[in-house]
Each structure stands twice: as structure tokens, then as C-alpha cells.
Amino acid sequence: MPHIPSTSRRGLLFGTAAVSAGALLTACTSNEPKKQEQATNNAPVADDKPGKAVTIGFAGPQADHGWLNAINQNAKSRAEKYSDVTLEITEGSNDTAAQIGQVQTLINKKVDVLVILPADGKALTQVGLQAMRAGIPVVNLDRIFASPQAYRCWIGGDNYGMGLNAGNYIGEQLKDKPNAKVVELAGLDNLELTKQRTQGFDDALKNYPNIRKVARQAADFTVESGQAKMAQLLQAQSQFDALWNHDDDQGVGALRAIAQAGRDDFLMVGGAGAKSAMDAIKADNSVLKATVLYPPTMAASAIDLARALGQGKGISGMAELEIPASLTLYSAVVTKDNVDEYLPTGFN
């Protein structure tokens, strides 16, 4: 059940180096190599070569959903790639008090860096602040803390972008169809991420005046809820042209309901990037024609960022001496044309 901060639409935030007017003039008029270029070219960057040993504490919620389990697996497998990384991983809990206790245990162990995917970003803000004040940099994964002082770097997906890209894909498929109708199977409506996904979807549909959204149901990111809510949508809407489902786990149930109803008169777009969805897209034997990614590989990237932080390095390929303050991942649309490329990232 992917979660994302309200600032999900922000791009990369990079630091900038200040250069005095005199230094800039000298650099531009002298035959000597530019000092700034020298500093950049010699900047230490994180790579695969063993470096300073780093202990990373990882605290996430309970893996009671395919995407969350994939988050844990991505973190573990990436940490195993590095001989200089020791990963201290907690059991995971959806109880905020329990997760706070787990993070405090990691703080007391004096880990070098913390990677935290909070069960509730607001509720865990104080323990993020506690870690930062103790001199332990925090990589805030996906669900954002209430204060930017509670983390050194945030990395996560783009819920608004998910909806936007799903809507634009559907729009392109239906752009020549007069009076086209679409329906939406959303996630939990009490989550900010669900609102962002719906907003992105609605904004995309504004680009296609021939398309109208005629119904929306909110499910619970489970197979059972997806089946029940999809059945209600099918009963209420005898005809529509496209469906966007926010989550591939609940999409398993939605596809069951669609099959039971004997409906194949519309196209379906999923969300998150489950392997089951990609397999169905590749087989091309159901209404499911695409899924919009919310990559659990962000956990592997969080380990990379934490290792760079622990070693006091920047990131290879970037000029800056420090890692970014924020990284927003892209929500690619996976179709039959590119599914083979993305299948290795699909989660169970």
C-alpha cells in the first residue's frame, strides 16, 4: 500500500556552491583549471568499491501487503550487495508506538544512518528529530515526516504523477471515442495519497473533453475489497470504456469480479507494478492493459543514499558534493510494449 507525502510533486532539490565574483572572474580569464571543476572532479562519490564500514538501521511498517514486503526485500538485497554495509532491520509494525520503540532501539545502538518508512509520518516525526539531534542522519522513505528537520533526505514515489500518467494513458486510448466514460477504483479515502492519485487522474482527464468520469469507488488495498467494490461498480455501470485501479493487490480482486460478471467491454489500468499485473499485461488475455508504477525499488535506492551519507560521499554522476535533499521517483506506464523491461521489478 504505497504512501507518499503531500509534497509528492516536488522535483529534485540540489545544493548549489557559492562562488565570489573575484573567483568567478579569475576562473573565466585564467588558463589555470577552474577551482570549482577541480573540486567537483575530485569529489568523493559512492560507488561499488568497498569503503568505510557503515551500519544502517532500517525501520518499516509491517509487511502485510505485497508492496510493503517488496520494500523490505529491496532494502535487504541492496544491503547484501555491499561488503561495507551492515543492516540492522526491525521486525516492522503498523502500531506507531511499537515502531517508535524500534527506532529508539536503533538510535541506542548508535547506528550510523537510519532509513525509516514510518507507519504514520506525522506520529513518528519526533523520533526522526531525536535521531537527527543524536547525530544520526535519517533517510525518510516514502511516507514523509511532518518536519523537514526530522530527516536529511526524503525519497519516495509520486502519487499525483501516478494518477496523471494513468489518466493520460487512458486519454490517449480513448481520445477519438465520442462521449467516452471512465470509472475509478481508488484506495483508502482517508489517506492523503489516495486524494493525490485521484487529483492527478482528474487533472489528466481535463485534457480530453470527450471523456467523462461517471463513477468512483474506494477500496482498502486488499484483494477482498477490490473484488467487492468492483462488483458494485459493475452493477451500477452497465457500460464504460476504461477503469483505473489505484493498486494492483486490490486489482487481483477487481479482475475476479470482472471475470465473474463476464465483462470485457473496457480497458483497465492498474497501479504500483505487481508481478501478477505485469504477467497479465504480457499475456494480453484480460481487460488489464497497463499499470502505473510506484516502485518498491525506492528502498534499494534509500540504502544507497544511506551508505553515501555514512561514508560522507556524494552520488556518482552528480556534481554536488552532497546527496540531494529530496528524490521523487517517476511513475512509468507499463504496457505490453515495454513490460519485459519492467518485469524484473514486479513484486509478488
Side-chain angles (χ1 to χ4, degrees):
M1 182 169 53
H3 289 247
I4 190 69
S6 58
T7 52
S8 64
R9 276 172 276 177
R10 59 186 170 176
L12 306 184
L13 304 180
F14 302 111
T16 56
V19 183
S20 70
L24 182 61
L25 180 62
T26 300
C28 292
T29 57
S30 172
N31 291 324
E32 294 296 319
K34 299 181 181 67
K35 291 183 179 180
Q36 181 60 31
E37 283 187 2
Q38 288 179 323
T40 297
N41 293 337
N42 295 327
V45 297
D47 54 31
D48 290 348
K49 297 176 183 176
K52 175 185 173 183
V54 178
T55 299
I56 300 172
F58 182 89
Q62 184 178 346
D64 55 0
H65 180 277
W67 186 87
L68 289 172
N69 183 63
I71 282 285
N72 289 345
Q73 293 305 315
N74 270 276
K76 290 176 183 176
S77 61
R78 184 53 63 98
E80 289 169 356
K81 171 185 173 182
Y82 300 118
S83 61
D84 51 19
V85 169
T86 299
L87 188 67
E88 293 272 355
I89 190 165
T90 66
E91 184 177 346
S93 176
N94 290 330
D95 179 85
T96 54
Q99 194 179 22
I100 288 170
Q102 291 170 348
V103 175
Q104 288 174 332
T105 297
L106 293 170
I107 293 172
N108 292 335
K109 286 184 176 181
K110 294 181 168 46
V111 297
D112 297 304
V113 190
L114 272 167
V115 176
I116 305 174
L117 199 168
D120 183 317
K122 184 177 181 181
L124 266 81
T125 297
Q126 286 303 314
V127 79
L129 287 166
Q130 181 182 341
M132 291 288 287
R133 289 166 181 164
I136 302 174
V138 174
V139 178
N140 182 193
L141 180 58
D142 201 33
R143 308 174 196 170
I144 200 166
F145 293 130
S147 169
Q149 296 185 68
Y151 59 90
R152 164 59 181 82
C153 174
W154 174 85
I155 179 171
D158 186 354
N159 284 290
Y160 179 87
M162 279 185 77
L164 191 72
N165 290 347
N168 281 327
Y169 174 81
I170 288 173
E172 286 303 302
Q173 307 311 304
L174 302 179
K175 64 183 179 181
D176 297 323
K177 185 178 180 62
N179 303 314
K181 299 176 183 178
V182 301
V183 299
E184 179 182 9
L185 184 63
L188 287 160
D189 261 343
N190 64 338
L191 297 176
E192 183 65 23
L193 70 94
T194 300
K195 299 172 186 175
Q196 292 170 355
R197 292 180 186 183
T198 292
Q199 186 62 58
F201 187 60
D202 290 346
D203 285 353
L205 293 182
K206 292 175 184 176
N207 297 321
Y208 304 92
N210 64 306
I211 300 175
R212 180 166 57 99
K213 186 167 76 172
V214 296
R216 180 184 184 277
Q217 281 279 3
D220 301 329
F221 291 119
T222 66
V223 174
E224 295 76 17
S225 67
Q227 185 170 353
K229 296 298 185 179
M230 191 67 229
Q232 292 177 22
L233 275 174
L234 292 168
Q235 186 174 10
Q237 301 296 324
S238 60
Q239 188 278 324
F240 56 88
D241 301 291
L243 157 71
W244 182 44
N245 162 56
H246 285 206
D247 176 75
D248 286 333
D249 272 25
Q250 70 184 27
V252 172
L255 284 169
R256 287 179 186 171
I258 292 165
Q260 288 171 359
R263 296 280 294 272
D264 62 359
D265 54 324
F266 57 88
L267 68 92
M268 174 179 172
V269 176
K275 185 178 183 299
S276 62
M278 293 192 196
D279 286 341
I281 292 165
K282 184 171 183 175
D284 197 20
N285 57 5
S286 73
V287 297
L288 183 59
K289 302 303 180 186
T291 188
V292 186
L293 297 188
Y294 197 87
T297 50
M298 66 177 70
S301 297
I303 296 298
D304 288 340
L305 292 167
R307 176 175 176 259
L309 274 172
Q311 294 179 342
K313 296 180 178 180
I315 299 175
S316 180
M318 288 180 58
E320 283 71 25
L321 303 182
E322 300 283 350
I323 70 167
S326 175
L327 283 165
T328 302
L329 305 186
Y330 183 67
S331 293
V333 179
V334 178
T335 67
K336 188 178 180 181
D337 293 336
N338 63 2
V339 65
D340 286 334
E341 180 182 354
Y342 289 101
L343 257 175
T345 71
F347 57 88
N348 294 314

